[in-house]
Amino acid sequence: MNGNITFTIIKPRAVEKGYIAPILNMIHKAGFKISALKMLQLTQHEAERFYAVHQGKIFYEKLIEFMISGPIVVSILKKENAVEEYRKLIGNTDPEKAEEGTIRKLYAESVRENAVHGSDSDETAAMEACFFFSEADRF
């Protein structure tokens, strides 16, 4: 059974360029409800913990460097089949390969400096949501 939550991050470059409102607007227009939302800046330790699954991969160090380079916006989104539906909305990780009208096509600069993160499974969405939000933070 597909879940009804997913987790997203609006990444540092998208925040820096002022894309928070347009991205949130696209999320809203796609029928997602925001269950939790906050802006923060990751510490090195937090980024390393969040991305521990990628430790040892060639891109890991650059990913950590990018994710601590500025503020981010994290959010829990609700919708039927949330993970699958959100991944359609954000598009391919490579903005050059992303479909027209997707968040990554419109706002990402490159694979490395992507505009948004989206959970890849219901299990991952639950873990990522818990990393940033307590139950009391969710609506």
Side-chain angles (χ1 to χ4, degrees), residues 7-10 36-40 72-76 132-133:
F7 175 80
T8 188
I9 300 173
I10 302 176
L37 176 78
K38 66 180 162 184
M39 184 179 216
L40 58 105
I72 60 173
V73 174
V74 295
S75 183
I76 299 172
F132 288 99
F133 298 101

Side-chain angles (χ1 to χ4, degrees), residues 3-126:
N4 69 344
I5 71 155
T6 193
F7 175 80
T8 188
I9 300 173
I10 302 176
K11 295 184 178 183
R13 203 70 63 238
V15 170
E16 176 186 316
K17 291 190 167 225
Y19 297 148
I20 297 169
I23 290 170
L24 290 176
N25 189 46
M26 287 181 72
I27 290 167
H28 173 72
K29 284 183 173 181
F32 289 90
K33 303 292 184 211
I34 295 174
S35 172
L37 176 78
K38 66 180 162 184
M39 184 179 216
L40 58 105
Q41 185 152 359
L42 288 172
T43 66
Q44 175 95 20
H45 179 69
E46 289 167 334
E48 289 170 351
R49 281 183 34 235
F50 186 77
Y51 289 106
V53 66
H54 298 302
Q55 192 168 15
K57 294 180 182 172
I58 194 164
F59 60 85
Y60 177 76
E61 295 298 326
K62 291 287 187 188
L63 174 62
I64 299 303
E65 181 181 309
F66 174 57
M67 291 305 294
I68 66 172
S69 69
I72 60 173
V73 174
V74 295
S75 183
I76 299 172
L77 307 175
K78 286 186 175 181
K79 184 178 183 178
E80 185 82 20
N81 300 321
V83 170
E84 182 180 336
E85 292 297 315
Y86 190 61
R87 293 195 68 79
K88 287 180 198 172
L89 179 64
I90 63 177
N92 191 295
T93 305
D94 182 347
E96 295 293 319
K97 296 176 183 174
E99 289 187 39
E100 291 298 326
T102 60
I103 292 172
R104 288 174 171 160
K105 184 69 168 185
L106 293 168
Y107 301 112
E109 292 186 7
S110 66
V111 172
R112 189 173 86 74
E113 294 196 359
N114 212 305
V116 294
H117 163 83
S119 301
D120 62 5
S121 69
D122 292 337
E123 296 76 21
T124 303

